[in-house]
Amino acid sequence: MFINMIPEGSEIELNFIYKEEARSMIVEKRNASINVMYIPAILDKNIPILESEMEDVAITYKANDGIIIFNPVKLELKKYNENYIYIVTSDCNAERQNRREAFRVFIGEQVTLTVKYKDGHENKCPGVLKDLSVGGMGIVSGVNLDDVAFISIVYEVWDGYNILLTGHVVNSVKLERGYLYGCKFNERSGVLSKFTVKRQIKNRMAAMGLSTS
């Protein structure tokens, strides 16, 4: 599926890193042409965010029969009829993914990383938990973690209830101000599955300006 094939008026999820924080926003697809679509610009203090300030940009579209993730995508900020929009382009021909496997929630919280290197020694350093799924996590760190085999964090899923998440590092991407590490879990957690569902609902309501209390 190409990005212009998303139905007109569909709600899509725009995921990106801005000022070293993971962001997730619900926006509406306006119109499209070949491999291009248009969405409203994201504002910070009523000023549109420049595309150059956004990293690791991805589009998630939830269809009835699965989830389609477009990554990478390119944004271009333009002014149209007194409004700011992003022209979104992607050459990615994305395939539907199983909802359970692809269900990612954006977290954007600071955590302490325990990193285990391939030679066996361990170290601790600060980082950001970018996103979570039942299958893995995305970690952002200002530290170049060369030769790291595993990254572990202790994460509070409920008030006073922590779980240990350990992921095998499967890929890394150099960002403008740090590194993004993709980590895959070897085991599945029922607690984490329930947490991701509830957090997705919370993120969606917050993006729409609604309270979850």
Side-chain angles (χ1 to χ4, degrees):
M1 181 180 188
F2 288 102
I3 202 166
N4 62 298
M5 298 172 66
I6 297 175
E8 188 76 13
S10 296
E11 284 189 344
I12 59 176
E13 189 174 318
L14 177 66
N15 304 315
F16 57 95
I17 297 175
Y18 174 62
K19 294 183 177 179
E20 301 182 0
E21 292 185 3
R23 305 287 184 97
S24 177
M25 304 293 294
I26 303 298
V27 295
E28 179 182 310
K29 176 195 171 183
R30 296 290 174 83
N31 45 39
S33 57
I34 299 177
N35 293 351
V36 175
M37 73 176 187
Y38 307 91
I39 62 174
I42 305 300
L43 304 181
D44 182 10
K45 298 179 181 177
N46 293 321
I47 299 175
I49 299 176
L50 297 175
E51 64 271 37
S52 59
E53 298 178 328
M54 304 164 73
E55 298 183 275
D56 191 37
V57 181
I59 292 287
T60 301
Y61 169 57
K62 296 179 176 65
N64 292 331
D65 55 351
I67 294 175
I68 300 97
I69 300 175
F70 298 89
N71 189 358
V73 298
K74 181 181 178 181
L75 303 182
E76 182 181 0
L77 182 65
K78 292 289 185 180
K79 191 173 184 180
Y80 179 74
N81 289 342
E82 303 303 320
N83 295 313
Y84 286 96
I85 63 168
Y86 293 124
I87 300 175
V88 186
T89 58
S90 176
D91 294 327
C92 174
N93 184 5
E95 297 182 356
R96 283 175 173 79
Q97 303 178 45
N98 180 279
R99 281 183 176 271
R100 184 173 179 84
E101 296 295 327
F103 199 72
R104 296 190 304 170
V105 291
F106 277 68
I107 306 297
E109 297 177 11
Q110 293 185 349
V111 291
T112 297
L113 311 178
T114 299
V115 296
K116 185 173 183 178
Y117 292 85
K118 294 177 182 178
D119 63 5
H121 83 278
E122 295 185 357
N123 198 7
K124 292 185 181 295
C125 64
V128 173
L129 175 60
K130 175 179 175 282
D131 56 54
L132 265 178
S133 74
V134 294
M137 60 184 176
I139 297 291
V140 177
S141 175
V143 180
N144 185 357
L145 303 177
D146 282 339
D147 296 324
V148 168
F150 295 92
I151 297 178
S152 298
I153 64 169
V154 175
Y155 186 69
E156 186 178 55
V157 289
W158 321 121
D159 288 340
Y161 187 86
N162 297 329
I163 61 174
L164 175 66
L165 300 174
T166 298
H168 174 63
V169 178
V170 293
N171 56 62
S172 64
V173 177
K174 177 70 173 71
L175 304 175
E176 185 177 344
R177 293 184 293 274
Y179 302 84
L180 171 63
Y181 299 94
C183 305
K184 183 178 180 180
F185 300 142
N186 291 329
E187 298 180 357
R188 300 299 176 91
S189 165
V191 172
L192 186 58
S193 179
K194 293 177 182 178
F195 168 79
T196 55
V197 172
K198 291 190 175 183
R199 186 59 179 255
Q200 178 75 357
I201 295 172
K202 180 180 178 181
N203 287 355
R204 185 178 179 85
M205 293 181 69
M208 297 172 65
L210 302 176
S211 172
T212 57
S213 59

